[in-house]
Amino acid sequence: SRLVSDDLEPLWLHERSLWRDVLFWDVSPVIAAIRRAVERRTLAGKAALEGRNTLGYGYYMLEGHRAVIGNLAFLPRANVTEVGARILDSLIALLESNPAVTRIESQFVSFCGQRLDDEFLSRGFDAHQRIFLRRSMADVSLESRLTPTIIIDFWDGSCLERAAKLMQQAHEGRVDSQMNELYRTQVGCQALLQNILFQRGCGKLIPSVSFVARDGAGELAGFVVCTEISPRNAHLAQLAVGPDVQGRGLGRSLLIRTLHALARRGYETVSLMVSGSNRRAYSLYESTGFENVFEFPVFSWDR
């Protein structure tokens, strides 16, 4: 609340360039939303200043008992180990002192590498590795076999609730539900999907390359949602297959259908994020041409 948007503009400019150059992602809409929050004095967080120059900042959001650290960003000349540790220490101490907060999550894409791991781990946080994968559309000569009883059609917004339920079932007891509490309930999964579909939290939805799969009885068996993160660059924001049909190639079929649709529409790349410990999913993506571009840690803490 002590800073104005001009104080953070150099940081946002640096962030935009990192996302663009490393991940091919235009985060201008997200930064614009953060800027509006700063101007309204509604963004809660901490910043490190050297004189009048802001070296780094981090902010958080409160969602009931759950606190989410939304970002930590630093200028290139900042000593991330020192400045980052001081910002993070201040943020975590503030959140831990709030008796209503029983869980803290840090889900953001961090360009700081492993330099802040010790600060999280020393406070009892669990760490998980996330991997950003990308595939060129230059060659999509892939084949897939689909069970005759499965029908694939374009994404239909009316199946949001059913997709959220399937998503929760697909992630139950798995690493993503350990990292992000929202995956544990249908309501939480619906909130995640709504953020993707309507709030552009993961780019702009591309309905023509997003699909649903239904079984012979018309029940939802799986779905894939794809977004545009910058011109000619797409991102696979969510892919889920029901537990009853996992291991039958449905995930591969949905993925390949999306790849072909993207190639036909002139997209040059598609990316996605996967948990490092989810070897089954990683193997699927690797076998369909995705390559490791960037790795970063995420953290969670329970009181």
Side-chain angles (χ1 to χ4, degrees):
S1 61
R2 295 184 181 183
L3 300 183
V4 296
S5 57
D6 285 350
D7 296 319
L8 296 171
E9 285 293 347
L11 283 156
W12 292 332
L13 183 64
H14 179 56
E15 276 194 279
R16 276 198 299 267
S17 66
L18 281 174
W19 281 80
R20 181 189 65 240
D21 298 342
V22 179
L23 306 182
F24 298 177
W25 199 313
D26 178 13
V27 293
S28 298
V30 177
I31 289 176
I34 297 172
R35 183 186 292 108
R36 289 193 295 271
V38 171
E39 292 169 351
R40 293 195 302 262
R41 297 285 196 264
T42 58
L43 191 71
K46 296 286 184 177
L49 280 74
E50 185 179 59
R52 284 300 304 164
N53 298 315
T54 308
L55 296 178
Y57 84 112
Y59 67 86
Y60 66 89
M61 297 155 288
L62 294 177
E63 301 172 358
H65 72 282
R66 177 173 170 262
V68 179
I69 299 176
N71 196 17
L72 287 172
F74 311 93
L75 289 180
R77 65 185 180 86
N79 182 332
V80 173
T81 304
E82 178 185 357
V83 176
R86 292 181 66 180
I87 293 176
L88 192 57
D89 182 72
S90 181
L91 278 177
I92 294 175
L94 180 65
L95 295 173
E96 286 183 340
S97 68
N98 184 342
V101 173
T102 60
R103 181 173 173 84
I104 305 173
E105 294 178 357
S106 165
Q107 301 291 337
F108 61 89
V109 176
S110 170
F111 293 98
C112 303
Q114 312 296 322
R115 285 177 282 182
L116 293 178
D117 279 18
D118 290 344
E119 187 67 23
F120 279 105
L121 296 175
S122 66
R123 286 183 166 271
F125 278 71
D126 294 322
H128 302 278
Q129 200 71 3
R130 294 282 280 166
I131 306 174
F132 187 95
L133 304 174
R134 184 162 59 227
R135 188 199 197 284
S136 168
M137 293 289 99
D139 176 19
V140 291
S141 57
L142 302 168
E143 296 181 1
S144 63
R145 295 179 179 178
L146 192 61
T147 305
T149 56
I150 295 292
I151 300 171
I152 294 184
D153 204 350
F154 291 112
W155 168 265
D156 180 357
S158 65
C159 67
L160 177 61
E161 288 189 17
R162 284 175 292 168
K165 182 177 181 181
L166 183 145
M167 188 172 153
Q168 182 269 323
Q169 293 172 337
H171 289 92
E172 188 170 7
R174 301 197 173 184
V175 64
D176 288 279
S177 65
Q178 299 170 26
M179 294 186 297
N180 190 333
E181 192 178 55
L182 294 182
Y183 279 107
R184 300 178 186 178
T185 66
Q186 181 177 337
V187 171
C189 287
Q190 188 161 328
L192 287 169
L193 280 175
Q194 287 174 325
N195 184 46
I196 295 170
L197 298 171
F198 307 120
Q199 299 177 30
R200 298 189 63 173
C202 199
K204 182 182 179 181
L205 176 69
I206 317 173
S208 59
V209 301
S210 301
F211 301 97
V212 296
R214 294 185 174 89
D215 60 23
E219 293 297 321
L220 193 70
F223 70 92
V224 56
V225 173
C226 198
T227 61
E228 181 179 281
I229 54 176
S230 63
R232 296 184 298 281
N233 296 295
H235 186 73
L236 201 154
Q238 192 65 232
L239 172 64
V241 174
D244 295 341
V245 293
Q246 288 181 6
R248 302 182 189 178
L250 179 54
R252 178 180 292 271
S253 296
L254 284 166
L255 176 58
I256 293 176
R257 179 71 65 94
T258 293
L259 292 177
H260 281 296
L262 287 168
R264 286 196 300 271
R265 284 157 182 79
Y267 283 88
E268 296 177 357
T269 72
V270 61
S271 57
L272 58 88
M273 283 185 268
V274 65
S275 302
S277 59
N278 191 346
R279 303 312 302 175
R280 185 174 178 179
Y282 187 90
S283 296
L284 166 63
Y285 300 134
E286 189 177 44
S287 69
T288 49
F290 284 84
E291 297 180 347
N292 188 330
V293 172
F294 184 73
E295 297 187 22
F296 62 97
V298 299
F299 304 90
S300 62
W301 170 90
D302 291 287
R303 189 179 294 280

